[in-house]
Structures are given as C-alpha cells and as structure tokens.
Amino acid sequence: MSQTESTMNARAALFPEWQGLRLEQILALCREHMEDPTYPIVKKWRAAGGKVLGHFQVYFPEEIAHACGMLPVKIRGGQADGVEASQHFGSYLCSILKTSLDLALCKHVELDLFVTHPICDGARNLAGIWGRNFPYKAQVLHLPQNPNSPSAYGFLRAEYARLAGDIEAAGGVPLDDTKLRASLELYNRSRRMMRELYRIRRETPWKLGADESMVLVGMAGILPREEFNGLLEAVLPMIESRRAREQDKMRVVFEGGFCEVPPYDLLQAVSRSCFVVDDDVFIGLRWILEDVATEGDALANLAAAYMDKSSYSPVQHDNDKPREKMLLRRVRAANAEAVILAAAKMCEPGLDEQVAYAKALDQEGIPYFISEFEENQNTFDDISIQMETFLENIMFN
C-alpha cells in the first residue's frame, strides 16, 4: 500500500472541533475556516503525508482526485493584498486570479498538482503562469466547448483519463473502477445533502441565510469529503429544528457567484433586507444535479453527468441549457419575486451575461438589481441602502 493510500485510509479527523457545538457556533467556525487564507485544514492533511490537488473555478471532477487518494481543494482566492502576484498580472483582471496565485506564492497553500480550466482568458493563462513559479505540474482540464456534439462524451472521458494519469504521476494511487465507484457513491450522498440544504432555503428561508449556506457548502472545497458529509449529516437536522421567527420578506435569487464568490458580509447585508432563496454561489461544488450512475464505465458515467445532469453557468455554452431560460427556471422553482444580478469586478463572462439576463427578466416582468462585488471588499453600507431602496420600490409599485 502506498503512503498516499495508507494516509487516506487511516488519517485523523482534520476538522473535529465542530463536534458538540451548537449550530451558530458551527457556522461561525466554518466562516473562520472559509475566510482563513492560510488553509489550516490543508496544512494538516499535508503534515500527515497527504497529497493535494488544487483546482480553479468553476467545476472539477473531484471524485477522480479522491479515488486516487489526493485531497481536492477548490482554489478560490481570498483576503490577500496581491503584492506577490502583482508582477505576474495586469491590473485589468478579476481579483480571484491574483489572490489565488498570491496565496500560493506566499506558501499559504502548497500543492502537488494544480488544474485550471479555459473558462476565460485569465483562467486559461493561469496554468502557464502557475507552472513557471512552482516545481509541480500545472495543467488545463478542457471541458467540452460544444457539449451538444455526440463526440463530446468520448472527448471528456479521455480528458478525465489523462487527468487521472497526471494525478498518479503527482503521487496519487492508480485509479481503478472500484475506487472510483466508491468515490461516486460518496459524492452522490454529498450532493444529495447539499440539495436538501437548498430545499430548506427555498421552503423555510428564515432558518438559514445565504451567508450561512455559503460557508457550509464552501467547506466541501477544503475538507475530505467523508468529513464534509459527516458535518452536513449533523447540521441538517439542527437547521430543520432551528427556532427562527418566520418573517415576511421579499424572496430573491442571487445570480453571479459562479466563480469568484461574494464576501460573506455582502450576503449577510443582503439577507437582512430579503430572503435569498436560491443562488449560484459555489455552483461548481453542486454542479451535478442527480446521482452519477455507479454501474458500468465509471469515468464515462462521470463525463455524461457533467453534460446531462448538470447546472449552468456563464462559462458553459450548452444549447440544451440556455442560461437565460435556466435563470428563469431557478427563479420560478424558488418562487422568487426578484433577482440580484451580481458580477465580480472585471469578470468578463459574468458582466457579459448580465445583459442577456436583464433582457430575459425584462421580458418576463421580473424586477432585478444589478451590482458588482470584489472578494476584498470590506464596506457594505452602500449595497444595504441600495437594496432597501430597490425592495421598497417594488413593494410600493
């Protein structure tokens, strides 16, 4: 048995401190970890001899890394001044590109393999910049640009097989169908619980705010999936039984957190004025909407699920999932009355999509509020006032 495999099978819990705490304490602890740029959980994994694969936004097939014994970590940027990364980027790029590289250059997060995707020009070039600055491999995972083509399934399966080879070369255990099926089952259970979390938000939004939901789901990007599942299994009943006063607030959908995620305090400020009953925050961790089949060719099943059982975002172009219609479907499924169309500053895909989304909402007569955010943003008084004015206008009109 390899060192990676033995570490995977017999490791100590990396995040045991939540056990025995009340819900509010657990949520506060999750927020601390999500806002900690030093990735202490990842450091614990490495200290125990584990290997780490870092993947950039939006979607990544974590089951493959998990089955190979590596810890898949969502590289999501964070609170950083960007000084170390400033010499590698121009000033016209989004914050998450700069802060993600900055945190790695400052050794706050150390990896054995880095994977990015061609979701935009900046992300596509990130692998080259990353690879010149670190001794481990940095590569691009090419998800199908034309998922409607019959050949897309075979193409994506081949990409996943290539990825598995790179993971093995970086210190992961060899991939086989038995391990991958076990990982698929584990992640299927995880996604079912995340869907349950969002069901609670849609049906009883006073029990869980968008800010609280974000830190819970975000833990899936840094915890071993076994531990994350244990956390959600304990927390979901606490949320269901939470004593919270039912309030009469407007129901809104937040759209625009598919890549760079909005700051916790921004979502908290929005949640004071209304119920955010659905969103696309950390959508990559919730991308697959149904269980992935575990019988037959596991890699092919995972590839098919990406295309046939998945959500949507501005960086996937699928004729079967027109993004404007998918947004309208999200709004109606959540029984929402308005939409917040947000985008990270300098995010070309997000800002472009705002135009199409706004046109579709205008045609349906659904009110919307357009805003920008940045992960290092630290003042939210303006957004609070603007949101309250927006909601009051809807109510009185």
Side-chain angles (χ1 to χ4, degrees):
M1 183 181 290
S2 72
Q3 182 183 30
T4 303
E5 194 170 16
S6 61
T7 300
M8 177 178 63
N9 291 338
R11 63 168 180 268
L14 302 182
F15 183 52
E17 54 266 35
W18 66 269
Q19 297 180 23
L21 298 181
R22 301 190 310 275
L23 176 61
E24 287 72 20
Q25 294 172 316
I26 293 173
L27 293 171
L29 196 58
C30 289
R31 177 184 179 179
E32 287 179 19
H33 277 282
M34 290 305 301
E35 294 184 336
D36 190 334
T38 65
Y39 287 81
I41 288 174
V42 180
K43 284 184 170 63
K44 285 183 181 180
W45 174 273
R46 289 187 64 85
K51 300 289 185 178
V52 179
L53 181 153
H55 59 90
F56 195 66
Q57 310 283 11
V58 174
Y59 169 76
F60 179 82
E62 290 193 343
E63 293 92 331
I64 300 174
H66 178 272
C68 292
M70 296 187 82
L71 177 66
V73 173
K74 179 171 277 294
I75 302 301
R76 63 185 190 281
Q79 295 290 328
D81 54 26
V83 173
E84 292 293 328
S86 61
Q87 59 187 306
H88 302 282
F89 291 114
S91 59
Y92 49 85
L93 294 174
C94 62
S95 175
I96 188 174
L97 287 168
K98 302 173 188 176
T99 58
S100 293
L101 180 63
D102 194 86
L103 294 176
L105 290 170
C106 294
K107 298 188 182 301
H108 290 319
V109 59
E110 297 184 72
L111 308 175
D112 299 283
L113 178 65
F114 174 71
V115 183
T116 186
H117 314 279
I119 59 173
C120 65
D121 289 341
R124 180 189 299 109
N125 295 324
L126 186 58
I129 296 171
W130 206 287
R132 288 196 295 270
N133 286 277
F134 301 98
Y136 51 83
K137 186 173 183 178
Q139 64 142 291
V140 176
L141 176 64
H142 293 277
L143 300 171
Q145 289 298 304
N146 181 14
N148 306 113
S149 168
S151 61
Y153 296 87
F155 167 82
L156 186 54
R157 191 203 180 284
E159 275 291 284
Y160 285 176
R162 179 180 66 84
L163 172 66
D166 284 333
I167 292 174
E168 183 177 347
V173 301
L175 182 69
D176 62 47
D177 267 5
T178 300
K179 294 189 185 78
L180 185 53
R181 287 192 187 100
S183 294
L184 290 176
E185 291 175 355
L186 182 73
Y187 276 74
N188 281 343
R189 174 160 181 74
S190 184
R191 285 185 287 263
R192 284 196 297 269
M193 288 191 287
M194 284 191 271
R195 291 196 293 271
E196 177 66 11
L197 191 73
Y198 271 72
R199 181 197 64 77
I200 294 172
R201 283 184 52 194
R202 288 191 300 272
E203 295 181 4
T204 52
W206 49 88
K207 291 186 177 181
L208 189 72
D211 49 328
E212 298 170 324
S213 171
M214 180 180 75
V215 296
L216 280 175
V217 172
M219 292 298 289
I222 54 176
L223 272 178
R225 194 50 62 114
E226 296 87 345
E227 285 196 50
F228 176 73
N229 284 2
L231 173 65
L232 276 196
E233 285 170 357
V235 165
L236 281 172
M238 295 182 187
I239 298 171
E240 286 277 30
S241 61
R242 193 178 197 180
R243 293 187 177 181
R245 184 169 60 87
E246 183 175 348
Q247 296 174 292
D248 185 20
K249 291 183 181 180
M250 186 163 291
R251 300 168 61 91
V252 306
V253 163
F254 183 97
E255 190 81 9
F258 64 94
C259 183
E260 183 176 323
V261 297
Y264 177 93
D265 288 327
L266 186 150
L267 287 180
Q268 189 178 61
V270 170
S271 296
R272 292 193 190 102
S273 303
C274 58
F275 288 133
V276 181
V277 290
D278 205 348
D279 59 56
D280 63 345
V281 175
F282 285 128
I283 194 63
L285 295 171
R286 306 180 283 118
W287 183 257
I288 297 176
L289 303 175
E290 302 175 28
D291 283 357
V292 181
T294 55
E295 300 298 322
D297 187 334
L299 268 184
N301 293 344
L302 188 57
Y306 168 79
M307 291 179 284
D308 298 336
K309 300 179 178 180
S310 56
S311 187
Y312 69 98
S313 84
V315 297
Q316 190 200 45
H317 309 285
D318 189 336
N319 292 332
D320 293 333
K321 294 184 295 183
R323 293 180 291 277
E324 298 84 356
K325 291 184 178 179
M326 296 299 288
L327 172 59
L328 293 174
R329 184 182 300 177
R330 173 174 283 162
V331 170
R332 289 163 182 151
N335 195 25
E337 302 163 89
V339 177
I340 300 173
L341 293 178
K345 291 183 178 179
M346 299 293 181
C347 174
E348 185 176 345
L351 291 167
D352 281 351
E353 202 59 37
Q354 279 187 339
V355 178
Y357 284 155
K359 183 177 180 181
L361 293 170
D362 280 334
Q363 291 174 345
E364 297 296 321
I366 300 173
Y368 57 88
F369 173 80
I370 293 179
S371 181
E372 286 184 336
F373 64 84
E374 192 172 25
E375 58 186 355
N376 283 324
Q377 186 176 344
N378 53 27
T379 58
F380 305 96
D381 290 342
D382 288 347
I383 186 73
S384 296
I385 295 171
Q386 292 166 6
M387 273 299 304
E388 288 174 6
T389 303
F390 167 69
L391 297 171
E392 286 175 2
N393 284 339
I394 295 174
M395 288 187 290
F396 289 116
N397 288 334

